[in-house]
Amino acid sequence: MTHQDLSITAKLINGGVAGLVGVTCVFPIDLAKTRLQNQHGKAMYKGMIDCLMKTARAEGFFGMYRGAAVNLTLVTPEKAIKLAANDFFRQLLMEDGVQRNLKMEMLAGCGAGMCQVVVTCPMEMLKIQLQDAGRLAVHHQGSASAPSTSRSYTTGSASTHRRPSATLIAWELLRTQGLAGLYKGLGATLLRDIPFSIIYFPLFANLNNLGFNELAGKASFAHSFVSGCVAGSVAAVAVTPLDVLKTRIQTLKKGLGEDMYSGITDCARKLWIQEGPSAFMKGAGCRALVIAPLFGIAQGVYFIGIGERILKCFD
């Protein structure tokens, strides 16, 4: 194995480990974010804590982890693609790799955002259906007599009793809509992930550089962790409006009186008219709380070099 291969493999392992640890830690907050973003008008949940308490009460502790299996399966390739792509583009775009050039860093971030969508879009699509199922169950109990407005992704009337599973939803989507079904909301996902990466990667690189230690040749673990958290929070909150649109567009099953959307502009227009500008920031706090530790952990794992250590064992 050449040094180059080694570093790429190590990066992929690091990205994977970081993703798994991160998702396990913050998944319930992500579930609260999806449910808060999807509730229209009269609120079922007052906020994140209220949502988590009601979910735990109604669906048990593991109810808060609905959809986590999809994420745990796909977060490794997703994080690996994102981190590896960003590194690849940075090396490609910066001659000496060290010289800070904001424009080039943003371009590298943009490339990373575009690459990861291949995995992110179907992953989020399936995750959102599973996360939102509990909210819909409560929603439908409250209006059990009225028929559901949208097409269900399970067949027949058993759909309300059968817990949806990722494989079931994926199969149903592929069967009825082909691959396009899994990539619904691709435009919205790109619109969220590219600006996120453009903000996050340069911001992290520059914050991290502030703590650069001449002796060690890199910033301290604590500094990298905090830089990852800060950059992650800022980027997450900044793109929340796009995340709200993505969540709404990708939610297949709607509660009563909840709108279907034909696309991004249609969704934005309806949201603005019916729920006002504040609706675009739904779940912003949750997003910051989810993304900050996710990226903090990712940067931490990267800097400890878990991948390198694992590979050393095999040498």
Side-chain angles (χ1 to χ4, degrees), residues 186-252:
L186 178 66
T189 309
L190 278 168
L191 265 181
R192 179 198 68 171
D193 286 350
I194 292 176
F196 179 90
S197 296
I198 288 175
I199 297 167
Y200 173 79
F201 283 111
L203 185 57
F204 170 74
N206 290 297
L207 285 173
N208 197 44
N209 218 34
L210 295 175
F212 186 80
N213 183 331
E214 293 293 331
L215 286 170
K218 59 183 180 185
S220 71
F221 169 70
H223 189 88
S224 289
F225 183 81
V226 173
S227 302
C229 287
V230 172
S233 298
V234 172
V237 173
V239 301
T240 296
L242 299 161
D243 189 54
V244 173
L245 296 178
K246 187 188 78 64
T247 302
R248 291 282 178 102
I249 288 167
Q250 286 188 324
T251 303
L252 297 174

Side-chain angles (χ1 to χ4, degrees), residues 131-299:
Q131 285 182 331
D132 206 40
R135 182 190 71 92
L136 286 172
V138 178
H139 200 99
H140 286 305
Q141 275 165 11
S143 50
S145 52
S148 170
T149 45
S150 73
R151 187 181 63 237
S152 156
Y153 40 60
T154 45
T155 43
S157 58
S159 66
T160 42
H161 309 298
R162 254 167 81 193
R163 261 198 174 179
S165 76
T167 30
L168 191 74
I169 299 167
W171 174 241
E172 196 68 19
L173 280 169
L174 286 169
R175 202 174 55 84
T176 53
Q177 301 167 38
L179 204 57
L182 278 178
Y183 280 91
K184 186 180 178 179
L186 178 66
T189 309
L190 278 168
L191 265 181
R192 179 198 68 171
D193 286 350
I194 292 176
F196 179 90
S197 296
I198 288 175
I199 297 167
Y200 173 79
F201 283 111
L203 185 57
F204 170 74
N206 290 297
L207 285 173
N208 197 44
N209 218 34
L210 295 175
F212 186 80
N213 183 331
E214 293 293 331
L215 286 170
K218 59 183 180 185
S220 71
F221 169 70
H223 189 88
S224 289
F225 183 81
V226 173
S227 302
C229 287
V230 172
S233 298
V234 172
V237 173
V239 301
T240 296
L242 299 161
D243 189 54
V244 173
L245 296 178
K246 187 188 78 64
T247 302
R248 291 282 178 102
I249 288 167
Q250 286 188 324
T251 303
L252 297 174
K253 274 178 110 176
K254 303 285 186 185
L256 271 162
E258 293 182 356
D259 274 316
M260 297 297 279
Y261 307 106
S262 62
I264 299 169
T265 36
D266 178 53
C267 181
R269 195 175 50 82
K270 285 180 177 164
L271 199 62
W272 181 274
I273 294 167
Q274 292 163 8
E275 298 171 56
S278 65
F280 285 94
M281 290 312 281
K282 277 185 177 179
C286 289
R287 258 183 81 68
L289 280 175
V290 167
I291 303 267
L294 266 185
F295 278 85
I297 291 165
Q299 297 302 346

Side-chain angles (χ1 to χ4, degrees), residues 77-78 81-86 89 93 105-122 183 186-198 201:
E78 185 215 25
I81 290 171
K82 183 173 193 156
L83 293 168
N86 184 59
F89 285 116
L93 295 165
E105 279 183 12
M106 287 182 157
L107 264 176
C110 175
M114 283 175 79
C115 291
Q116 76 172 68
V117 165
V118 179
V119 180
T120 309
C121 193
Y183 280 91
L186 178 66
T189 309
L190 278 168
L191 265 181
R192 179 198 68 171
D193 286 350
I194 292 176
F196 179 90
S197 296
I198 288 175
F201 283 111

